[in-house]
Amino acid sequence: MDMIDSIECVTSSDGMEDEDAVSSNLPRPYLKTSASTTTAAEAASVGVVPGGGGVGIPGPLISPATSVHELLECPVCTNSMYPPIHQCQNGHTLCSTCKARVHNRCPTCRQELGDIRCLALEKVAESLELPCKYYSLGCPEIFPYYSKLKHESQCNFRPYNCPYAGSECSIVGDIPFLVSHLRDDHKVDMHSGCTFNHRYVKSNPREVENATWMLTVFHCFGKYFCLHFEAFQLGMAPVYMAFLRFMGDENEARNYSYSLEVGANGRKMIWEGTPRSIRDSHRKVRDSHDGLIIQRNMALFFSGGDRKELKLRVTGRIWKEQQNPDSGACIPNLFT
């Protein structure tokens, strides 16, 4: 059951900037060569373009020779194989991931695989340098296989999960792609400006069995922020909660602060905090209670009238913290 029957939003309007999603195909691996030792004939025989620079410096981005590519192709998943590479007694190979899938039987000749390693192919695989798997998101790094795995675990170009939690969306991507996805696929309201004034209305506020919620995206300081408002059960008590998430990493989220305010009849509740990164899941933020929490009885009191209809007005603003060069302390930048 939807919690929000109607919404009014009043924000500053300085134009919404459309950003195109970054998309490109991953390049083929490099084959490490030395320009001083590789002749044109030798390069042609293995599909390497000579002239790539000095020793240890890869040449132009190229496709490996078809024969090398085929040698490293797993017959089960068709992905490129990297150490450990397994083989049967007849010499048929497959990757370590697929070894368990085929119940230790060669998919080509059905012989038992055992624990035989194909060391020759492993050396070939180790000679390749591969782009980071987040190349399409803008990461320019290229590594040998083992270094690549370590790099990718910490790469700043890791894709983000879609912050639209209502349908448990599994889409991932970079920020421009997710902004377009939220706007086009989830029909999320998009607003420009660093202040907001939302009015949430619900005709039957006593129905909070489901974690019903609303998401709005704001664009300010050249960044995107997600304002969440929802109802859920906190223990036995139904509550409403509003909180902000930053579309970016946690270290950058700390550069911003926000405030939320709700009230009526001479009463007021105010929350100030730092937006959480969308690296933290929607549920994690909600369950940490890191936001403005309003008990239902207080929410109905703010609504006035006969207390049978929820009418909450939530106002707020986002500001960027500026580093004080003298003291090292952060001071609010209220005028940017």
Side-chain angles (χ1 to χ4, degrees):
M1 177 176 296
D2 293 335
M3 185 190 75
I4 308 303
D5 296 325
S6 65
I7 297 177
E8 295 177 1
C9 178
V10 180
T11 67
S12 61
S13 177
D14 52 7
M16 186 65 184
E17 298 179 6
D18 292 329
E19 299 186 33
D20 296 330
V22 178
S23 62
S24 68
N25 295 323
L26 286 174
R28 293 285 193 182
Y30 286 115
L31 187 59
K32 290 193 293 187
T33 63
S34 168
S36 61
T37 59
T38 304
T39 65
E42 291 170 334
S45 68
V46 295
V48 178
V49 177
V55 176
I57 301 177
L61 205 58
I62 59 170
S63 296
T66 302
S67 58
V68 174
H69 178 66
E70 289 177 349
L71 282 173
L72 290 174
E73 185 178 282
C74 174
V76 178
C77 66
T78 70
N79 293 325
S80 295
M81 297 184 293
Y82 298 99
I85 299 175
H86 299 273
Q87 71 175 27
C88 72
Q89 294 181 352
N90 293 325
H92 303 126
T93 57
L94 80 164
C95 70
S96 58
T97 301
C98 291
K99 183 174 183 284
R101 295 179 182 174
V102 298
H103 306 291
N104 209 37
R105 290 282 177 181
C106 175
T108 304
C109 66
R110 309 306 301 168
Q111 291 290 323
E112 186 173 352
L113 287 170
D115 293 315
I116 305 173
R117 296 270 292 275
C118 185
L119 301 181
L121 265 190
E122 289 184 2
K123 287 186 177 296
V124 172
E126 288 173 352
S127 72
L128 299 178
E129 290 192 336
L130 305 168
C132 173
K133 69 179 180 180
Y134 304 126
Y135 173 87
S136 63
L137 301 180
C139 182
E141 301 294 344
I142 296 171
F143 298 95
Y145 177 66
Y146 291 113
S147 300
K148 173 179 178 287
L149 294 180
K150 181 178 180 180
H151 160 79
E152 288 173 350
S153 67
Q154 303 173 337
C155 181
N156 291 330
F157 289 89
R158 284 181 300 151
Y160 299 87
N161 293 316
C162 174
Y164 193 91
S167 61
E168 297 182 355
C169 181
S170 60
I171 294 295
V172 298
D174 61 354
I175 299 304
F177 171 79
L178 288 180
V179 169
S180 299
H181 167 68
L182 289 170
R183 180 187 60 227
D184 300 336
D185 298 331
H186 294 301
K187 311 303 180 185
V188 169
D189 286 338
M190 302 278 179
H191 300 278
S192 290
C194 299
T195 61
F196 43 88
N197 185 348
H198 278 202
R199 184 171 179 263
Y200 299 99
V201 179
K202 181 174 171 58
S203 58
N204 188 354
R206 300 193 178 276
E207 296 180 356
V208 290
E209 290 83 2
N210 299 318
T212 51
W213 63 286
M214 178 57 62
L215 171 66
T216 308
V217 173
F218 291 90
H219 182 237
C220 66
F221 299 107
K223 304 296 182 179
Y224 291 92
F225 300 82
C226 298
L227 176 63
H228 296 263
F229 183 84
E230 63 181 82
F232 63 98
Q233 293 285 148
L234 183 57
M236 298 298 293
V239 298
Y240 300 96
M241 182 175 178
F243 57 91
L244 198 73
R245 286 202 292 167
F246 173 73
M247 295 187 71
D249 286 329
E250 181 180 358
N251 58 347
E252 193 174 1
R254 297 192 191 102
N255 296 328
Y256 302 90
S257 296
Y258 75 102
S259 65
L260 297 172
E261 180 179 311
V262 61
N265 300 321
R267 276 77 171 176
K268 182 185 296 185
M269 294 179 66
I270 299 176
W271 166 269
E272 287 192 2
T274 301
R276 297 283 287 272
S277 166
I278 59 172
R279 294 282 189 209
D280 289 335
S281 69
H282 164 269
R283 179 173 293 276
K284 179 179 179 180
V285 179
R286 191 196 74 182
D287 291 349
S288 70
H289 307 157
D290 192 3
L292 176 64
I293 297 179
I294 312 163
Q295 299 289 335
R296 184 174 63 187
N297 288 339
M298 181 61 73
L300 291 174
F301 178 78
F302 286 158
S303 299
D306 55 8
R307 300 167 63 93
K308 292 183 179 180
E309 185 177 46
L310 177 73
K311 294 180 179 179
L312 282 181
R313 185 175 295 278
V314 178
T315 61
R317 64 185 179 90
I318 305 166
W319 66 90
K320 187 174 184 179
E321 302 288 352
Q322 251 184 355
Q323 196 74 23
N324 187 330
D326 297 326
S327 65
C330 286
I331 59 176
N333 176 6
L334 304 178
F335 305 105
T336 302

